[in-house]
Amino acid sequence: MHLSTGKHPHPLDPLAAREIDEVRRILVAEGLLTETARVAYLGLEEPPKGEVLAYRPGDPVTRRARAFLLDLATEAALDVVVSIGAGRVESREPIDPAIDGQVPMLDEEHALVRRVLRADAAWAEALARRGIDDPQGVYLAALSAGHFGLAEEEGRRVARVLAHVMPTPESLPWAHPVDGLVAYVDLVKGEVLEIVDTGPQPIPQESGDYGHGPFRTTQKPIHITQPDGPSFTVDGPLVRWEKWSLRLGYDMREGLTLHRIGFEDGGRVRPIVYRASVAEMVVPYGDPSPIRFWQNYFDTGEYQLGKLANSLELGCDCLGEITYFDAVVTDGAGLPKVITNAICMHEEDYGVLWKHTDPANGSRETRRQRRLVISFFVTVGNYDYGFYWYLYLDGTIELEVKATGIVFTGAYDERAAPYASEVAPGLAAPYHQHLFGARLDMTVDGVANAVDEVEVDIPPAGQDNPYGSVIRRAVTRLRTEREAVRDADLKAERTWHVVNPDVRNRLGRPVGYALHAEGRPTLLATPGSSIHERAEFATRHLWVTRYHPAERYPAGDLVNQHPGGAGLPAYTRADRDIDGQDIVLWHTFGLTHFPRTEDWPIMPVDTCGFVLKPVGFFDRNPTLDVPPSAAERSCH
Ligand code: NI
């Protein structure tokens, strides 16, 4: 199915292929997209929230697109907004790479580094010193360079390149890292800036190939059938399931975006989340080796994971009665590219919803839980990530991120030992983190929301706690943006309640939704380090900002080679009032990964995420009207 509907798009519909074609035509006509220019990013410029909330079907809609352009001949970069309806460029801001950072990596830059290095004599010599005579048999990828204040890189568009041997074109390279060697390449001039060679190290020889059997023969088939089809309805990007309604969006940077999530209650749809996405992610590595100290990949801001989505396959990626949506992204030439079956949606049985057998009256009732699953999977180099949004019958919203694929590798020796696991003979997998920045633009029963930090409050034994058994609850309103920079505390059962102070439940208390954090480690890098400056968002579990349409990304608009300080630290500098305002929650969660031998040669899915739960939002359990399942009816 398509997310973009025909002639009368809703303001939040993702750009259709014909709109991308139109943007391209306008950019060419205005002389901005020339032979030497590339489109590094192109996406819907969403109208400000107020306009979207005021929109009624049939209203005129102004469709806008935002693009990052890079001219490979002049190195000039632009941040432009195009009005598709008006057929013109509305704004064009020059990007200064030394201050603003670089536009995201281009697909063609992987081919470029291969071309440059395979023609480079010093690179060939470095490989020859390691017994590699054929540079063609070495896998190379343009890796984001980070920002380390190196004078020779100031204002230059740079990638760093690590090498892995591919014994045959069918082999997986990751088992055979060429350690002690890294190249820095200028991506615009197409020249090698520097080759760092700390000397040959043994290249692990054991194959990392998998997937070829022999296979166990013990599995009987599992079939999931819904003879009457799923319980949801789809109208373009508008999805309705049980009492939920929401709009799906897709962006080549963020991937899947969810809009206007609401729940029908008392004959009307009550808004909960205006927009939800994972707006950034970063994978910092912890090995200080001169070959890989710079390894910190912002898979969203630098590589734009949305354009790296997989086309999903029925029976493999998704089981049962599946609805797929195609996504449309933009290539470097500004042409639309359709990723078929990028988004998977289905309904799952999820065990018991509630159950009680009463000893007094003998009543016996069970209801089954279901969830709506909306997901997409991306491949970023060696790693694969699945993003799974779940909506449950009882009003719970959950995001689960699945990390799988192949760990990044180096040579394992005494030097590497403190910073890496040995996952196969002589093969190191450096310790690292996968940190995600969710952006949750909340509208709990309206735009005026506030955040309370809620946790246990145990008074010392004495007058206030005569038996030592007291459990009380402390509720602290987070009044300003700086007050709301917070960390999780699992021992205190700390949650953050997004409440609407103006809307009360039947007990007279403000309605709310609580963010339950997993509370795992935030960014481990020390203050003052390059990655701490660049990924400051990831140093804390919670930030809350006043809504501003231009504040979209936890690490800022341009992340590639950005010196740091952009995004949340900049957004919160004015310390705006967030008490009873239009607010956005930003939540950091993730994995700290000490690779296991079991993670080699391919890693079983590991997960992380968060949950949003209604708390005082409904007047009682909202699932009392869920009928007994057919099977249960037959039991009784
Ligand atoms: Ni990992």
Side-chain angles (χ1 to χ4, degrees):
M1 293 204 173
H2 297 289
L3 288 178
S4 318
T5 45
K7 282 208 159 91
H8 303 288
H10 181 278
L12 296 176
D13 284 359
L15 293 177
R18 62 178 167 73
E19 290 179 305
I20 293 169
D21 283 331
E22 182 60 12
V23 171
R24 184 173 193 280
R25 192 194 63 74
I26 295 163
L27 292 173
V28 169
E30 300 237 4
L32 298 181
L33 191 52
T34 60
E35 284 281 296
T36 54
R38 298 290 183 273
V39 177
Y41 166 79
L42 198 155
L44 176 71
E45 177 77 349
E46 288 175 25
K49 191 193 287 187
E51 276 180 36
V52 175
L53 294 177
Y55 169 81
R56 297 289 170 268
D59 288 356
V61 174
T62 307
R63 298 281 284 173
R64 290 186 180 83
R66 184 187 194 189
F68 296 150
L69 305 176
L70 174 66
D71 191 323
L72 296 175
T74 62
E75 301 201 33
L78 283 176
D79 178 354
V80 305
V81 174
V82 174
S83 171
I84 299 170
R88 64 185 181 83
V89 172
E90 267 187 11
S91 68
R92 58 183 87 184
E93 296 290 327
I95 294 167
D96 180 346
I99 298 165
D100 306 321
Q102 294 275 352
V103 299
M105 311 285 294
L106 302 169
D107 294 342
E108 68 189 77
E109 287 172 333
H110 297 293
L112 175 89
V113 300
R114 281 170 209 147
R115 218 162 45 235
V116 168
L117 284 172
R118 282 169 184 170
D120 189 78
W123 179 254
E125 278 166 34
L127 291 180
R129 273 196 292 282
R130 291 161 168 82
I132 304 164
D133 298 324
D134 178 15
Q136 305 295 324
V138 173
Y139 180 75
L140 305 171
L143 302 170
S144 56
H147 187 282
F148 295 90
L150 305 172
E152 63 275 22
E153 293 183 356
E154 180 83 12
R156 281 188 188 232
R157 187 169 173 82
V158 178
R160 306 192 203 280
V161 186
L162 295 168
H164 290 77
V165 173
M166 290 178 75
T168 72
E170 291 77 38
S171 309
L172 286 158
W174 314 106
H176 315 293
V178 180
D179 212 328
L181 182 65
V182 57
Y184 300 171
V185 175
D186 183 317
L187 295 170
V188 176
K189 300 209 163 48
E191 63 188 29
V192 177
L193 281 176
E194 188 178 356
I195 291 174
V196 180
D197 185 348
T198 56
Q201 289 177 248
I203 299 172
Q205 293 300 308
E206 186 183 282
S207 169
D209 294 358
Y210 55 85
H212 311 304
F215 299 116
R216 67 182 71 177
T217 55
T218 46
Q219 294 193 334
K220 306 262 192 300
I222 295 177
H223 292 296
I224 293 167
T225 56
Q226 292 185 277
D228 301 331
S231 315
F232 52 77
T233 61
V234 174
D235 177 10
L238 176 62
V239 174
R240 291 193 183 89
W241 176 74
E242 292 295 297
K243 298 185 176 184
W244 291 99
S245 62
L246 73 159
R247 303 190 73 87
L248 306 182
Y250 200 89
D251 177 75
M252 67 184 276
R253 177 167 177 167
E254 295 174 282
L256 177 66
T257 56
L258 305 183
H259 305 262
R260 308 208 60 183
I261 305 174
F263 196 97
E264 195 195 313
D265 181 33
R268 68 201 167 90
V269 174
R270 298 173 64 188
I272 299 164
V273 185
Y274 175 76
R275 189 185 193 280
S277 69
V278 177
E280 191 54 84
M281 70 164 285
V282 61
V283 187
Y285 284 77
D287 181 348
S289 151
I291 301 306
R292 61 174 57 87
F293 68 90
W294 48 268
Q295 269 189 298
N296 298 303
Y297 307 127
F298 290 77
D299 288 342
T300 309
E302 292 172 341
Y303 296 107
Q304 302 188 109
L305 57 78
K307 74 174 179 179
L308 305 174
N310 295 177
S311 288
L312 300 170
E313 290 178 45
L314 190 61
C316 306
D317 300 301
C318 326
L319 208 54
E321 198 64 39
I322 304 295
T323 297
Y324 289 110
F325 298 90
D326 297 342
V328 185
V329 298
T330 306
D331 72 10
L335 294 166
K337 189 179 137 200
V338 177
I339 304 173
T340 53
N341 295 358
I343 302 168
C344 166
M345 185 167 76
H346 69 281
E347 190 181 19
E348 278 179 0
D349 180 275
Y350 197 63
V352 171
L353 166 62
W354 51 257
K355 177 178 176 67
H356 182 58
T357 302
D358 196 87
N361 73 356
S363 68
R364 188 157 54 100
E365 297 282 347
T366 304
R367 297 296 182 274
R368 291 198 70 78
Q369 175 71 288
R370 294 177 179 209
R371 62 185 185 184
L372 180 69
V373 184
I374 310 168
S375 69
F376 72 112
F377 235 108
V378 304
T379 300
V380 191
N382 53 305
Y383 257 109
D384 303 77
Y385 298 99
F387 297 83
Y388 285 67
W389 290 94
Y390 304 121
L391 302 179
Y392 294 85
L393 294 176
D394 63 354
T396 299
I397 301 170
E398 181 180 5
L399 173 68
E400 180 179 62
V401 177
K402 305 186 185 203
T404 179
I406 306 181
V407 291
F408 208 93
T409 54
Y412 189 84
D413 56 16
E414 242 170 52
R415 190 213 58 78
Y419 323 108
S421 305
E422 188 176 27
V423 292
L427 187 68
Y431 304 146
H432 58 275
Q433 297 186 281
H434 306 259
L435 298 169
F436 302 86
R439 181 180 182 277
L440 303 167
D441 184 343
M442 304 299 290
T443 47
V444 177
D445 264 340
V447 293
N449 286 175
V451 181
D452 288 330
E453 183 167 285
V454 178
E455 60 191 349
V456 297
D457 169 30
I458 310 302
Q463 202 177 352
D464 290 339
N465 195 353
Y467 308 102
S469 56
V470 163
I471 302 173
R472 295 192 312 202
R473 202 172 73 145
V475 179
T476 309
R477 175 65 48 91
L478 305 175
R479 296 185 185 281
T480 71
E481 291 176 328
R482 295 308 305 175
E483 267 184 45
V485 182
R486 304 293 297 159
D487 286 323
D489 184 349
L490 295 186
K491 287 191 81 176
E493 188 57 30
R494 181 177 292 168
T495 56
W496 295 290
H497 292 196
V498 183
V499 298
N500 188 323
D502 301 326
V503 179
R504 307 270 160 163
N505 61 25
R506 71 181 175 124
L507 303 178
R509 303 205 171 84
V511 296
Y513 251 80
L515 171 63
H516 291 251
E518 288 181 342
R520 296 159 90 169
T522 52
L523 184 76
L524 297 169
T526 57
S529 63
S530 166
I531 190 57
H532 192 283
E533 297 299 300
R534 302 182 64 228
E536 197 175 330
F537 80 91
T539 64
R540 306 300 296 271
H541 287 116
L542 182 79
W543 306 67
V544 183
T545 59
R546 186 88 159 253
Y547 168 80
H548 188 289
E551 295 176 356
R552 288 174 245 183
Y553 305 111
D557 285 12
L558 293 162
V559 179
N560 194 11
Q561 292 184 258
H562 194 285
L568 284 169
Y571 301 162
T572 53
R573 201 164 290 136
D575 199 19
R576 292 167 293 193
D577 173 20
I578 52 167
D579 185 1
Q581 305 292 336
D582 186 356
I583 57 172
V584 179
L585 256 66
W586 308 74
H587 174 45
T588 302
F589 61 95
L591 300 166
T592 295
H593 193 180
F594 299 122
R596 306 170 300 157
T597 49
E598 292 84 353
D599 290 333
W600 186 257
I602 180 167
M603 178 187 156
V605 163
D606 199 356
T607 63
C608 58
F610 63 87
V611 175
L612 288 165
K613 269 180 183 292
V615 52
F617 185 79
F618 299 110
D619 284 338
R620 55 180 61 74
N621 182 340
T623 63
L624 297 178
D625 59 349
V626 171
S629 60
E632 199 190 356
R633 277 196 296 270
S634 68
C635 310
H636 286 229

